[in-house]
Structure formats: structure tokens, C-alpha cells
Amino acid sequence: MIRVEFITAQGERVSTQAEVNSSLLETGQACGMPLEGTCEGQMACSTCHVIIAEEWFAKLRPASDEEEDMLDLAAGVVRYSRLSCQIVLTPDLDGLIAHIPPESRDMQLL
Ligand code: FES
């Protein structure tokens, strides 16, 4: 297991444990983050958009062209934006910090 920390749009810190090789999307959903992940990792929705903490961004595998294209369509994209479904939690990402974008809305929680 590795440790992952989410920071909600309201600034609340939520620490959780994640299985190695699980996705950041699954991990966020498991601890109640409002990440819809409508397309379940098929890079067709961008509802899994997160903003990676600057100090962790360079440690991730670079985004594919498909991911970049999909991010272009996401609301509130910034320099450190990624699709959480594309981030595989490898042991070197122990301690990863990801922000939930303010635009994120999970319809199921409204
Ligand atoms: Fe749809 Fe990530 S879950 S792009």
C-alpha cells in the first residue's frame, strides 16, 4: 500500500491508502472524492480531472497525446492538471498529493 493525499475544493485534506498499481481515480472514488470517472478510464470524459501538487507532477509518467487532448476539454485546467484515471500508483508515488478542481461536481452526491 502507498499513501495518497487529496485536497478537496474546500481545502480539506483527506489521506488514504492505495493499492500499488491501482489508479488515482479508483483511489479517489474509494475515499469519497467527487470524481465521476464516467468513461471508466477510456479517456472519453475528463470527469476524472485532478490537479497534481507541483512537487509531484514531474514524478508522474508524462501524459499521452490522447490525455492532453481530453484535458483540453476539461473545466478549470491548469499546468499541473492530469486525468486521474491515467495515473497508476507505483511505489515511487508514495505520498502523492492531488487537488480536486473547484469545478468538480459529482452529480451522484448532489
Ligand atoms: Fe473518463 Fe478519466 S475516467 S477520462
Side-chain angles (χ1 to χ4, degrees), residues 25 29 36-49 70 83-86:
L25 173 62
Q29 287 177 331
E36 274 185 70
T38 313
C39 77
E40 299 177 344
Q42 302 304 305
M43 279 196 278
C45 72
S46 83
T47 60
C48 62
H49 170 213
M70 194 47 61
L83 296 178
S84 59
C85 67
Q86 299 303 309

Side-chain angles (χ1 to χ4, degrees), residues 6-110:
F6 291 93
I7 301 177
T8 69
Q10 291 74 35
E12 184 191 347
R13 289 176 174 265
V14 178
S15 288
T16 189
Q17 302 278 326
E19 298 274 355
V20 169
N21 291 330
S22 62
S23 77
L24 185 60
L25 173 62
E26 293 169 317
T27 303
Q29 287 177 331
C31 69
M33 292 299 106
L35 297 168
E36 274 185 70
T38 313
C39 77
E40 299 177 344
Q42 302 304 305
M43 279 196 278
C45 72
S46 83
T47 60
C48 62
H49 170 213
V50 294
I51 299 167
I52 304 298
E54 182 179 349
E55 65 270 30
W56 283 98
F57 189 81
K59 297 191 170 81
L60 302 179
R61 286 218 332 255
S64 62
D65 290 347
E66 290 87 350
E67 181 179 347
E68 295 283 5
D69 287 349
M70 194 47 61
L71 275 171
D72 284 344
L73 304 175
V77 170
V78 297
R79 182 157 170 212
Y80 303 114
S81 289
R82 292 293 304 263
L83 296 178
S84 59
C85 67
Q86 299 303 309
I87 296 175
V88 176
L89 296 170
T90 46
D92 56 323
L93 296 179
D94 188 19
L96 180 72
I97 300 171
H99 296 254
I100 304 298
E103 288 77 8
S104 182
R105 299 270 184 281
D106 187 337
M107 292 310 185
Q108 291 163 0
L109 297 181
L110 290 177

